Amino acid sequence: MGRKEMEEQIIENYQRDEQMMILVFAQWCVNHDLDPVELYLRAYPDQSSNPALQQAIELTVPKEEAGDIPDDTLLGVLSMFGNEDLAFVVTEEIKRTRQTKQRK
């Protein structure tokens, strides 16, 4: 494998992994009755449309059919891809959800 092919393979792997990260985020939102687009826009207000996020939303399943995605897993995946702003918004939602549950 030449250098160019290797670079292309690395880029393809990164893009596939990034798409998986977006899907994990979208499914986590569905599982917690949150709107992934709304959370994404809170983190990145200048990015009104994100085709990768729209595609991921189409791939989500109802929360009854989905496996649990631990909060720490989502935060780890987001930080691995440098989505610190989105991780911050997700962390705020986690805190808000926990506070709501404690009040009940």
Side-chain angles (χ1 to χ4, degrees), residues 37-96:
V37 173
E38 194 263 325
L39 259 64
Y40 186 85
L41 285 175
R42 259 198 274 163
Y44 305 108
D46 299 335
Q47 295 181 27
S48 58
S49 81
N50 182 325
L53 180 57
Q54 290 303 324
Q55 184 182 3
I57 291 169
E58 291 169 16
L59 296 172
T60 61
V61 296
K63 68 180 182 178
E64 297 77 26
E65 298 174 26
D68 183 46
I69 300 170
D71 299 341
D72 291 344
T73 299
L74 175 61
L75 293 171
V77 170
L78 291 175
S79 71
M80 191 167 63
F81 281 88
N83 281 316
E84 303 305 329
D85 293 340
L86 190 54
F88 179 78
V89 170
V90 167
T91 300
E92 286 183 328
E93 282 301 319
I94 292 167
K95 286 179 186 171
R96 192 178 62 73

Side-chain angles (χ1 to χ4, degrees), residues 2-17:
R3 179 184 173 119
K4 183 156 178 53
E5 290 86 8
M6 197 162 84
E7 287 174 356
E8 288 172 1
Q9 186 68 44
I10 290 170
I11 290 169
E12 282 177 30
N13 288 347
Y14 180 85
Q15 289 171 336
R16 188 179 61 240
D17 291 348

